[in-house]
Amino acid sequence: MSGEKTVIKKLPEYIDKISEEALSMIDRLTAETGLPIYMDPKTGAPMWLDVRELRLRYTLPVKSIVEFFEALRNGVMKTTKCKECGTIYFPPQIDCPKCRVRNMEWIEVEKEGELVTWTVINTKPLTFSYHNDYVVGIVRMPQGFNILAWVRTTDPRKLAPGAKMRLKIGRREDENYISYWFEPVE
Amino acid sequence: MRKVAIVGVGIAKYGYRSDATLAEIAFEAIKEALDDAKIDARDIDSFVVGNTGVWSSEPLPAVLIGEYAGLVPKNGIRVEAACATGLAATRTAYTMIASGEADIVLVIGVEKMSESTTPQVVELIGRAGNYFWEFENFGMTFPGYYAMYATSYIKRFGVKEEDLCEIAVKNHYYGSMNPKAHFQNRITVEQCMSSRYIAWPLKLFDSSPITDGAAALILASEDKAKEITDSSVWIRGWGYANGTSNLSKRSDYIGLEATRVAAQMLYKKAGVDPSNPAKYFDVANLHDAFTIAELMALSDLGFVKKGEEHLIVREKQTYIGGILPVNLDGGLKAKGHPIGATGVGMLVDLTKQLQQRAEKGRQAPIKRGWALAHNVGGTGHYVFTTILSVDKP
Ligand SMILES: [Zn+2]
């Protein structure tokens, strides 16, 4: 795997690039007028451009479900099942609110399900804006739960409710970390 | 529990408000509400601010507004329930009065979304589902979540994209008569159909805009309401519920269970026959963040059978003169959806409707004197509903 193409490198570069023009304009304006105030292009109203930027990157604990990620690394998906009452949880969680005990086993998720519904994300969030339009589907698994994930298909118009979907696990294109998606069963 | 009345309403101009700060927009609405009730800031016991924030710079909006509106040292708090923040804040204020803890409470819903860029707002609203399992890896968006429901409707019930556009056309039609609405242009089905997809099958014209706005209500106990006005509008009760964080955990994609549960609770409290609720209301505001949301609400609230909503839309039964006039202020679609202000703005308009103060052309005939408000947070993550009436409960 190339070390270049990861989301960690790509994203800040991408975001900096799209804001570069506006920021350098404000820089020029501040140098000339002494203030980061510009005229709103739509309304002509004077606007103060925030000189502080808030960059947030959260750190999320995964200790309780680390087995989920270890399984993905081995090419399988696992989730939790309560040993007391048999409830299967997806996304996996280690507490069963029904039994109020923490007594889970990890079970393997089956490889095929049926498409319930889907959409194509055309207008993307900032942190996904370098992606092409992507299809997100909700797939019903035979073990009785749904999984939401991308559906990799060449032609979203061919999708239909009930279509057979195969669960795939691997590294994400251009982002490099291991994840999961669905592909139509041909 | 004590009875609670709305004794004053105010609303700021919704839209792209590059001319005003969050506090200034909030005060536009507060001033109008105080003038409407003919009371002073000194008469307020407490205030509740509905604001979702994140896209705007001020992290403590209740404190900011308290200072700007001259309310210090009166206590005010912020309430948040995503897009249902407005009704959630109103319910908090209602409870303060009903319990006897306060006599007059000011509710302010305010949002200043344009402080962030559109891609950032798309990002922040997209995160408002389940962050890790649905956003982090799959980049869901707010229209994307609702589009999952629209796909189901289209595939299962034969709803057409044109049917959804009809809802946008209606809401723009009424919005064009509301001087406070974000959009005041009328649109055609053809214009809507030719707008670009934002989350297939939903198009730009199926979507409410990113809006700045504020709305305010003055709530009072029965005794205080009598002193203030002889045209009180009463809050008859509440229904509320939550849905799952993960959309994947919903039982179906042909409606919002939280709306169905909230409606049951509300109808029971207010004595509404759930088999024919339409006959109780002269007008309703249903949460139309997207056209599909208004469509689903029609059946989730019991006005029509599931899967037949588009038929009454085609018959224009949700216009004035139909079985239930819906969103006569333009709805979220045309009036705008300033997240925290939305629910408060619904009640401002329904109060004016019941007092027959709405502009010509969008005033419903008031016969029974009851109105329904339905405010959804996220994609059925929160739902709040309430009934307003001219007669005292
Ligand atoms: Zn259990």
Side-chain angles (χ1 to χ4, degrees), chain A residues 90-91 116-119 121 136-140 145-149, chain B residues 126 128-131 133-135 140-150 152 243-257 296 376-382:
Chain A
F90 187 88
V116 178
T117 189
W118 69 100
T119 178
I121 305 295
V136 189
I138 291 176
V139 174
R140 185 81 181 154
F145 53 86
N146 297 337
I147 298 177
L148 179 145
Chain B
N130 185 278
Y131 177 72
W133 294 94
E134 301 195 343
F135 183 87
M140 280 300 287
T141 62
F142 190 32
Y145 282 123
Y146 270 104
M148 298 271 202
Y149 288 86
S152 278
T244 59
S245 165
N246 278 285
L247 219 69
S248 67
K249 291 201 167 193
R250 299 291 167 83
S251 55
D252 63 60
Y253 301 92
I254 49 163
L256 300 176
E257 192 180 4
M296 294 194 295
V376 181
T379 316
H381 293 97
Y382 302 93

Side-chain angles (χ1 to χ4, degrees), chain B residues 12-278:
Chain B
K13 170 76 179 78
Y14 282 16
Y16 175 53
R17 295 294 308 271
S18 60
D19 61 310
T21 66
L22 183 137
E24 289 163 356
I25 302 185
F27 195 64
E28 251 179 70
I30 295 170
K31 195 163 100 50
E32 210 176 276
L34 290 172
D35 289 349
D36 190 36
K38 299 182 186 65
I39 62 165
D40 193 82
R42 279 190 305 271
D43 302 318
I44 304 290
D45 294 321
S46 248
F47 61 103
V48 181
V49 173
N51 175 258
T52 300
V54 200
W55 29 69
S56 50
S57 53
E58 292 287 351
L60 305 181
V63 178
L64 179 84
I65 291 164
E67 178 191 307
Y68 194 85
L71 296 164
V72 175
K74 300 282 167 65
N75 177 255
I77 52 158
R78 169 213 215 148
V79 166
E80 185 278 323
C83 320
T85 291
L87 281 201
T90 310
R91 177 207 164 208
T92 300
Y94 168 95
T95 313
M96 289 157 81
I97 295 171
S99 69
E101 199 192 80
D103 287 315
I104 303 180
V105 179
L106 169 66
V107 185
I108 306 137
V110 61
E111 212 67 62
K112 192 77 211 316
M113 303 180 78
S114 71
E115 286 188 19
S116 290
T117 63
T118 297
Q120 277 167 332
V121 173
V122 172
E123 167 101 15
L124 290 166
I125 310 186
R127 290 177 175 224
N130 185 278
Y131 177 72
F132 186 76
W133 294 94
E134 301 195 343
F135 183 87
E136 169 87 347
N137 300 314
F138 307 119
M140 280 300 287
T141 62
F142 190 32
Y145 282 123
Y146 270 104
M148 298 271 202
Y149 288 86
T151 302
S152 278
Y153 261 78
I154 287 169
K155 299 291 176 190
R156 179 150 168 194
F157 300 126
V159 170
K160 296 193 172 355
E161 290 179 40
E162 284 87 344
D163 295 325
L164 298 176
C165 281
E166 286 289 359
I167 291 169
V169 169
K170 170 180 66 70
N171 293 351
H172 273 259
Y173 172 74
Y174 288 119
S176 74
M177 291 176 252
N178 179 358
K180 299 291 183 77
H182 188 158
F183 294 136
Q184 291 172 15
N185 61 315
R186 296 187 185 180
I187 60 162
T188 62
V189 170
E190 295 70 34
Q191 274 174 296
C192 173
M193 285 300 290
S194 60
S195 66
R196 67 185 161 84
Y197 285 109
I198 53 170
W200 178 93
L202 294 180
K203 294 174 286 298
L204 186 64
F205 279 35
D206 286 304
S207 171
S208 57
I210 293 168
T211 300
D212 301 325
L217 299 167
I218 294 163
L219 303 189
S221 63
E222 189 174 354
D223 290 349
K224 290 286 176 186
K226 263 188 218 150
E227 291 171 23
I228 293 169
T229 178
D230 53 13
S231 59
S232 287
V233 163
W234 299 88
I235 297 177
R236 294 198 86 90
W238 295 88
Y240 32 77
N242 281 20
T244 59
S245 165
N246 278 285
L247 219 69
S248 67
K249 291 201 167 193
R250 299 291 167 83
S251 55
D252 63 60
Y253 301 92
I254 49 163
L256 300 176
E257 192 180 4
T259 296
R260 298 192 285 266
V261 175
Q264 250 175 29
M265 184 191 289
L266 177 69
Y267 292 164
K268 194 170 171 205
K269 276 185 203 162
V272 169
D273 172 9
S275 69
N276 186 12

Side-chain angles (χ1 to χ4, degrees), chain A residues 82-87 89 96-101 103-104:
Chain A
C82 177
K83 281 187 190 167
E84 312 281 329
C85 70
T87 305
Y89 290 91
C96 180
K98 293 179 189 168
C99 305
R100 276 184 283 145
V101 291
N103 188 16
M104 293 283 179

Side-chain angles (χ1 to χ4, degrees), chain A residues 27 39 64 84 91 98 128 139 145 152 155 157 161 166 180:
Chain A
D27 227 12
M39 299 302 157
S64 59
E84 312 281 329
K98 293 179 189 168
F128 283 80
V139 174
F145 53 86
R152 297 245 165 105
D155 190 0
R157 283 170 304 181
R166 188 181 301 277
Y180 52 94

